[in-house]
Amino acid sequence: ESSEPLIAAVTTTGLVIGLSQGGPVTITATSEGKSGSATASVSTRPATRLAFAQQPGLSTAGAPLNPPIRIALQDNFLETVLGATNPVTIAIAGNPAGGVLSGTTTVNGVNGIATFGNLILDRVGTSYTFQVLSPGLVSATSTPFDVTAGSANRLSITQQPSPNAQSGIVLGVQPVVRLQDGSGNNVATAGLVVTASIGSGIGSLGGTVTATTSAQGIATFTNLVISGTAGNFTLGFSVPS
């Protein structure tokens, strides 16, 4: 029998099995009126491999991955080694869009789990994967996941207006702008009104000075006219909040 059966138990055939870390445990055996005892301690098996306890899921560019990715430090029997504190490093394995991973990319295990709580990917893409590594342990690769664009918070000019223009004459090349998120990813949001205005230069802007974004998040101006004295002009574009 065992003095601490929750740590080390004795089977009906007399085999001693370690169940949890601890000890020393006294094991007593009796046969034919004679008894003997021995002590034993149970230690955990060492971590030999990594596994994703929480896989990455659909994420938003420029925002922390949610839920946080959790990596289990496991033994050869695929059990989490609760005492393991090994350092674990995460990196992009499959990178379909040239994304950059930021945040804390190396953390130590706590109770056998390494948690990455502030990872951010900056580029929209499909089927990203992560790989995790730790010295001396078998690495692991995540299941594929996608990154989508964040909310639109800026404009990008995809077609510049004519470099030369005449006062009072419709610009030969009209500007085209599109919505982007904070990481520079294109945002496909329809129905936002973009307003053009004079950015610098002495004059006025005529024609239809507003354009509405399409389903692709693109606003195309069609008949802008600058009237004013000769000189250098710039145009500005904004979306009212």
Side-chain angles (χ1 to χ4, degrees):
E1 63 178 356
S2 170
S3 63
E4 296 287 348
L6 295 180
I7 297 175
V10 181
T11 69
T12 56
T13 60
L15 182 66
V16 178
I17 298 177
L19 299 178
S20 62
Q21 184 176 4
V25 177
T26 300
I27 305 297
T28 302
T30 301
S31 177
E32 298 180 353
K34 297 179 181 180
S35 64
S37 63
T39 59
S41 296
V42 179
S43 60
T44 58
R45 289 182 291 268
T48 59
R49 61 193 300 119
L50 302 174
F52 279 81
Q54 174 63 61
Q55 294 278 355
L58 182 65
S59 303
T60 301
L65 274 62
N66 187 32
I69 295 172
R70 300 169 63 245
I71 305 301
L73 294 150
Q74 296 182 337
D75 60 24
N76 285 332
F77 296 92
L78 307 186
E79 296 290 338
T80 299
V81 180
L82 297 181
T85 59
N86 307 54
V88 179
T89 298
I90 191 167
I92 301 174
N95 195 346
V100 174
L101 179 65
S102 59
T104 304
T105 56
T106 298
V107 298
N108 291 326
V110 176
N111 294 325
I113 297 290
T115 301
F116 296 89
N118 62 353
L119 298 179
I120 296 173
L121 280 166
D122 66 336
R123 305 305 299 170
V124 169
T126 58
S127 296
Y128 278 97
T129 57
F130 284 135
Q131 185 181 45
V132 287
L133 306 108
S134 184
L137 306 187
V138 178
S139 64
T141 300
S142 74
T143 57
F145 65 99
D146 298 342
V147 176
T148 61
S151 300
N153 66 1
R154 69 186 193 186
L155 296 169
S156 173
I157 301 174
T158 61
Q159 178 170 283
Q160 294 284 349
S162 302
N164 297 295
Q166 291 181 295
S167 178
I169 303 298
V170 172
L171 297 175
V173 179
Q174 295 287 319
V176 178
V177 301
R178 75 177 306 152
L179 303 172
Q180 292 187 333
D181 65 14
S183 297
N185 297 292
N186 296 331
V187 178
T189 300
L192 295 182
V193 177
V194 180
T195 300
S197 61
I198 296 291
S200 62
I202 300 174
S204 60
L205 184 65
T208 305
V209 297
T210 60
T212 302
T213 57
S214 67
Q216 292 73 41
I218 297 172
T220 302
F221 293 86
T222 58
N223 62 353
L224 294 181
V225 179
I226 296 176
S227 299
T229 58
N232 293 323
F233 284 80
T234 61
L235 297 179
F237 303 91
S238 63
V239 176
S241 58

